[in-house]
Amino acid sequence: MRLLLIYVFAILFCFACTPHKNTENDILEAIPDHTVLAIQINEYESLKSAIGSNEPYNKLEHLRPIKSIVSKLEPFNFLTNQTNGLLTFTANDSTTFDFTYITLDSIALIEVDEITNKRIEEITDNSNTITSYQFNDIHFYSAPYGSYSILSSSKTVLSSILNRDATSNNNLSINEFLNTANKEKLANIWIDLEHGRPLLKQILPQDQTNLNFASWLSLDITLNEQELQMNGVTLPSMTPNYSLNLLNHTKPITNTLWKLSPNNATSVTSYGFEEYAAFVQNKKTEGFPINEQDSLLYTVEEIGIASYNDEDILFLRTFGTASLVDYIQNEKTATHEFSGHEILELKSQLGLFTALHTLIGDLSFNYASIVDNTIVFTKNQTGIESVISKISTGDTFDKTILFKNAEAKLTSTSSKITISNLEGAGTYFKKSVSESLSNEFLRSNLKDYVFANQLIADNGFFHLNFLIKKITEEDEQHTVSPVFETQLQTDLATLPQFVTNHNNGKKEIIVQDQENTLYLISTNGKILWKKQLNSSIQGKIHQVDLFKNGKLQLAFTTNNEFLILDRNGNEVQPFTMNYTGGNVNPLAVFDYEGRKDYRFVVTQENKVFMYNSKGEIVKGFTYTSAEGNVEDIPQHFRIGRKDYLVFKLANGQLRIVNRVGKTRILVKEKFSFSNNPVQLYQNKFTFTTLDGSLFQIDTQGKVTSSNLQLTKDHGMDATSKTLAIMNDNILRIRDKKVELELGVYSKPEIFYLNDKIYVSVTDIQNQKIYVFDSQAKPIPDFPIFGSSSIDMADINNNKNVEFVFKDQENSIKVYKIR
C-alpha cells in the first residue's frame, strides 16, 4: 500500500508544471465528503505482493511525502483476508488528513494477542455501532454499512458517513471513475487536483510551488519488479490559470525533436501542436498575456527544451520558417560560421521568448542557428556549436538506450512529453514542485531508471501516461508467430479486416466469400454469424456508432446497395437502399466534428448522395451531380479549421469542395489519375498520375509536381508525415529505399498501431507479404505467403500487433508481431 502512494504523488510531481450492494453506484454513499484521493484496489493480495517485489520501493521510501502517508496507513498492517476495496483520503483541515477503506469483505485482523498495549471496544454512535481499535499508538475505527465494511483512521469521518443523508455525496467524477476504471489492473487511482491542495500542503515541503495543473486524474496502474506505468485521463479545470487549460482542444503531433537533442541531455521536453494559433487562443481565454511575437509562431508545430551540460536548449520546429528567420535576422548583433551553419548572436531579452513564457518560463537565449526546419537557441556560442556537432555526427537523444526504453512504452504523438534520467527528473522537480523534495529525490539511487510523462489532447480531455522504468538493453522486437487459421468452404472475395466488438473492446474479423456471404469471425476462429448479400462489398466496411450509445454498426455499399448492419448481422432501417443500374462506388463516411453526426456519401457514376444519421438526404449539400463519373471513394480532410471534401473524376478533374458542396479550392488542371487515392501529406493534397509524377496541391490551389519516373502500376500510400511508394520492386518509405526481389507488387499500405508505423506490400506474382517498420527495416520471419495485403489491430488490448490476411489457399490467417 505504501508504494502505491509513492506513485500517486510521483505523478502529481511530474505533472505539476504543466463491488455491489443493492444498486450499481451505492458505494458512493459510503465515500466520505471532501474525498480528494481514491484508490480502487482490485486484487488486494496480488497488489501487496507486487508492491513487495517492486524495486523502486526501497529507493523512494525515504521521501518526505511517503513518510507522511506511511504513518497514516499503519492500520493496514493488522488487516488480513482482504480481496478488494476502495481506499479514500480526506484532508479535514490544514494540519490533518485521514483515510477511509470501504470493502465488501469483513474487517478481519491478524493475531494480536502478543500486543500488550491494545484495546478493542464498541462505541454507540446514535443508532450505529462503531468498533474502536488501539494497538500501541495506533488508533482506527470500523463499522458495517449495508453490505460494506468501513475502516477509517478517524471516528469523526466514519460517524459522518453513518449519520449523513445518503444522497449528500454523489461526486460525479468519482462515479465516472468507479464505472470506467479497468478492473483487470491491480489498482486504479482517482485524484481531485482542484480540491486536493490541503492534502498536498501537509505532505509536501514548505517550499512547494504552485501546483495548478488540472481538475482531476483517473489512472490505471501496471507494475512489475522494475517498472511502474500509469495510464489514464485527466480533465482541464474550469478555473483560469491552470496550466493544462493552455493545451485544451489543441491537436497533438508526432514528436521528433529527440533527433536533434544531444545524446547526453539529462531531460528533453517536447510540446506538439497541429495549430499554434489554438494555443494562443487558449492563452487569451485563460487570461495569460499575449505578445505581438505570438503571431510569428503560428507556423511552429513543435517546441522543445533540452537540458544539456547545465544549459537549456530551445528548439522551434516549424513548417514555414520565413517570418521567424526574418525576425531573428533583424534581432542579430553578429554572425559566425560553424561547420556549414550560420550562428546568429542575438540582442538580449527578445520578445520572442516572452511570448513563449507559459511554456519555457523565464528562459532567454543569446545564440540561434537553423538546422533543417528547426531553429535552435542556446545561451552561449559553445553550446550551440556542441549541438550542431552532435547532430552532424548522429550523437542524438533518439539513439540512446534511455530514450528507447521510454519510447517502447509511450505513444509517438503527444501534446506534451518529457523523458529524463534521474538528474533531469530532479531538475524537473526543483523547477516545478520543491527544491528540498528534489534534493531528497536525487538521493533515491535511481540512476539506472528512465522517467517519462506524457499528455495527449483529445476532444476536451487528455490521455495521460506516466512511466518509471529500469533501463534495460533493447528487447528483441518484431518476432512473428501464428495465432490461428480459419478455412471457409468457399473462396474469399474480399480482404479480411478487423472490426471492434463493442461489448468487450476486442477485435473480430469480417470477410465476404465469392458467393457473396458475409461472415463475422471471432479472434479464436469461430464463425459468429453469416449473412447472404446480393452482390460483392465495395471497398472497406466502416464501423459507426449510429445511435451514440457505444454500440457499433457495420456500414458499407455493394454493387447496387447501401447497407448498415447491427452487431448480429441484422439490417438497420432505413439504411437498406437500392440503386438502379449498379456501379456504386465504395462508401465514404464523414464525421466532421468527431461527434458521431455522420455523413454517408454514396456515389454512382456522376451522382452524389449524401445521407445523415437518420438515412435522410442532406438538403444543404449541393454537389449532387459531378462533372464526370466519380472515381474511387470520396474523401474528407481537415486542415486547420476548414473541411475539404475531395472527389476524383474520370474526366481528369479534381473537385475540392466544402461541407455544403461549394468549391473550396478551384483546380483548373486536369490529371491522368493513377489508381491510388488522393492523400493528405504535409498538409497538401497528394496524388500520383499514370505518367509517373507526384502532384501536390496546397490550400491556396498552388499545384506542384515531381516526375518520379514511376511505372504505370506503381502504388502509393501516405499519412500526414509518412509517404510510401512502391515502384517496380523498389519500396520507398520516407527517404529510405528497399529493393525487393522481382515480382508484381500491390500498393503499399501504412498502418499506425500501438504508437508505431508499419508498411506492408504484397508480391502478387509470388504470393508473398512483406512488412517493414517506418525506418524501412524488415520484420523478421517474413515474407509470409499470402495473396492479399494485411489489416492490423490489437485484438485483445494487450499491446501486441496482430494482423489478418488471406493466404494463397483463401483461408484466413492471423499472426502476431511482438
Side-chain angles (χ1 to χ4, degrees), residues 233-246:
V233 296
T234 182
L235 286 182
S237 173
M238 299 299 291
T239 305
N241 296 317
Y242 272 62
S243 59
L244 189 65
N245 296 6
L246 291 171

Side-chain angles (χ1 to χ4, degrees), residues 641-675:
R641 298 180 181 274
K642 294 182 179 180
D643 296 286
Y644 301 80
L645 309 188
V646 179
F647 296 81
K648 192 170 67 173
L649 306 185
N651 64 6
Q653 285 185 274
L654 187 69
R655 296 287 281 116
I656 304 176
V657 303
N658 61 16
R659 288 191 192 184
V660 299
K662 301 296 183 182
T663 298
R664 172 78 80 185
I665 300 175
L666 179 61
V667 182
K668 296 181 179 180
E669 294 186 39
K670 290 190 175 183
F671 310 93
S672 58
F673 295 111
S674 70
N675 292 327

Side-chain angles (χ1 to χ4, degrees), residues 196-320:
R197 292 186 187 85
L199 179 61
L200 293 176
K201 287 181 178 179
Q202 294 179 48
I203 65 174
L204 289 176
Q206 294 300 310
D207 61 345
Q208 62 179 288
T209 57
N210 187 8
L211 292 175
N212 289 350
F213 168 62
S215 177
W216 54 268
L217 305 177
S218 176
L219 305 164
D220 299 326
I221 297 174
T222 301
L223 56 96
N224 56 42
E225 291 185 2
Q226 298 180 332
E227 177 185 337
L228 159 83
Q229 188 164 12
M230 291 195 286
N231 312 100
V233 296
T234 182
L235 286 182
S237 173
M238 299 299 291
T239 305
N241 296 317
Y242 272 62
S243 59
L244 189 65
N245 296 6
L246 291 171
L247 301 176
N248 198 18
H249 298 297
T250 61
K251 293 183 179 180
I253 64 165
T254 300
N255 308 86
T256 64
L257 291 179
W258 325 111
K259 298 178 181 179
L260 299 179
S261 301
N263 60 343
N264 48 349
T266 59
S267 175
V268 181
T269 296
S270 167
Y271 295 89
F273 313 93
E274 188 174 277
E275 283 188 277
Y276 186 84
F279 175 75
V280 175
Q281 182 59 46
N282 285 340
K283 288 209 300 183
K284 292 179 181 178
T285 303
E286 296 299 316
F288 289 94
I290 302 299
N291 188 291
E292 62 178 330
Q293 276 76 37
D294 271 308
S295 60
L296 295 173
L297 300 168
Y298 278 10
T299 60
V300 171
E301 55 187 355
E302 188 175 6
I303 299 171
I305 293 288
S307 297
Y308 168 63
N309 286 349
D310 296 322
E311 181 180 354
D312 290 308
I313 307 165
L314 172 65
F315 300 93
L316 300 181
R317 180 166 69 88
T318 79
F319 56 83

Side-chain angles (χ1 to χ4, degrees), residues 4 19 45 53 77 231 292 329 417 467 505 577 633 648 662 685 737 796:
L4 196 56
E45 292 301 327
S53 61
N77 296 329
N231 312 100
E292 62 178 330
Q329 290 283 355
I417 181 172
L467 177 71
M577 302 179 184
I633 179 174
K648 192 170 67 173
K662 301 296 183 182
F685 306 100
K737 294 183 179 180
N796 292 312

Side-chain angles (χ1 to χ4, degrees), residues 699-745:
T699 56
Q700 304 303 312
K702 181 181 178 182
V703 179
T704 57
S705 66
S706 301
N707 185 1
L708 302 183
Q709 298 183 339
L710 304 174
T711 63
K712 182 178 180 180
D713 296 324
H714 70 272
M716 184 200 81
D717 196 11
T719 65
S720 61
K721 305 293 182 182
T722 301
L723 178 68
I725 294 177
M726 190 75 217
N727 187 41
D728 277 339
N729 64 321
I730 304 297
L731 173 65
R732 187 177 80 178
I733 304 174
R734 294 175 175 167
D735 58 347
K736 294 179 171 58
K737 294 183 179 180
V738 180
E739 183 174 355
L740 304 177
E741 63 180 82
L742 294 176
V744 178
Y745 287 90

Side-chain angles (χ1 to χ4, degrees), residues 33 55 73 79 160 180 193 221 224 284 297 322 437 443 589 645 653 668 684 712 807:
D33 292 321
E55 286 187 7
L73 292 177
L79 287 188
S160 67
T180 60
L193 296 175
I221 297 174
N224 56 42
K284 292 179 181 178
L297 300 168
L437 183 64
R443 294 197 301 269
V589 180
L645 309 188
Q653 285 185 274
K668 296 181 179 180
K684 297 178 181 179
K712 182 178 180 180
D807 80 353

Side-chain angles (χ1 to χ4, degrees), residues 391-448:
I391 295 171
S392 300
T393 59
D395 295 325
T396 49
F397 195 72
D398 63 308
K399 305 291 199 316
T400 64
I401 191 171
L402 176 82
F403 173 77
K404 292 182 183 299
N405 271 253
E407 180 188 31
K409 298 291 182 177
L410 304 171
T411 69
S412 59
T413 302
S414 308
S415 301
K416 179 198 173 188
I417 181 172
T418 298
I419 299 175
S420 63
N421 61 14
L422 177 63
E423 180 184 348
T427 302
Y428 196 83
F429 283 4
K430 180 179 179 179
K431 292 179 179 178
S432 59
V433 183
S434 159
E435 182 174 358
S436 59
L437 183 64
S438 172
N439 294 334
E440 291 183 44
F441 183 79
L442 289 172
R443 294 197 301 269
S444 61
N445 193 26
L446 289 165
K447 293 182 179 179
D448 52 351

